[in-house]
Amino acid sequence: MLKEFKKFITEGNVMDLAVAVIMGAAVKEMVDGLINGLIAPLIGAATAGINMKEMAATVAGVKLQYGLFLDALVKFIIIAFIVFLMVKAINKGRDALHKEPAADPTTKTCPYCKSEIDITATRCPHCTSQLSE
């Protein structure tokens, strides 16, 4: 049973998940710093010093803190954008590594009639010109 557990823990999926959770927490901290250090003060300055987290409305004696939702929404949009950029960069790098070499051409252009013909042809089937290439 211990061997099975060790195999389960050391397989790629569990390790990938652990790395993803750690990276997600790091990205969240980075975005929190961006929101609290830059974006929220800018919004506060643009809205005459209103703190977005403190925005609330009282309806029928109940305090609705919609500012907390707006703060979470801004954080979500920023995190989603950062993840999008990361995935885009990873996919671009992966595509560059796995780029297949271009296939050798199988056709050529007749220099007389400009038709596309087989690369091994010695005479053009369209204009019947003798090809020197």
Side-chain angles (χ1 to χ4, degrees):
M1 183 181 296
L2 191 57
K3 288 181 183 180
E4 290 175 322
F5 180 71
K6 182 179 178 184
K7 181 181 176 188
F8 171 76
I9 291 296
T10 57
E11 284 185 4
N13 294 340
V14 175
M15 298 306 284
D16 291 346
L17 180 60
V19 169
V21 168
I22 292 168
M23 291 300 295
V27 168
K28 182 193 177 302
E29 288 298 318
M30 183 179 70
V31 170
D32 283 346
L34 178 67
I35 296 284
N36 297 331
L38 293 175
I39 294 177
L42 289 174
I43 291 173
T47 58
I50 297 173
N51 185 352
M52 196 164 62
K53 287 184 180 179
E54 295 175 2
M55 293 177 170
T58 304
V59 178
V62 177
K63 185 177 181 182
L64 301 174
Q65 296 179 313
Y66 64 90
L68 294 174
F69 171 72
L70 292 176
D71 183 60
L73 182 64
V74 169
K75 285 181 182 179
F76 170 77
I77 290 170
I78 291 172
I79 289 173
F81 184 68
I82 289 172
V83 168
F84 166 75
L85 292 177
M86 289 170 52
V87 169
K88 189 174 177 180
I90 290 169
N91 286 342
K92 188 175 182 181
R94 186 179 315 153
D95 290 345
L97 288 175
H98 297 295
K99 189 177 257 186
E100 294 181 16
D104 291 334
T106 58
T107 60
K108 63 182 176 181
T109 304
C110 173
Y112 303 102
C113 68
K114 305 299 182 202
S115 298
E116 192 170 310
I117 58 175
D118 187 76
I119 200 161
T120 60
T122 57
R123 185 176 292 271
C124 177
H126 303 284
C127 68
T128 67
S129 299
Q130 186 72 30
L131 303 173
S132 60
E133 298 174 23

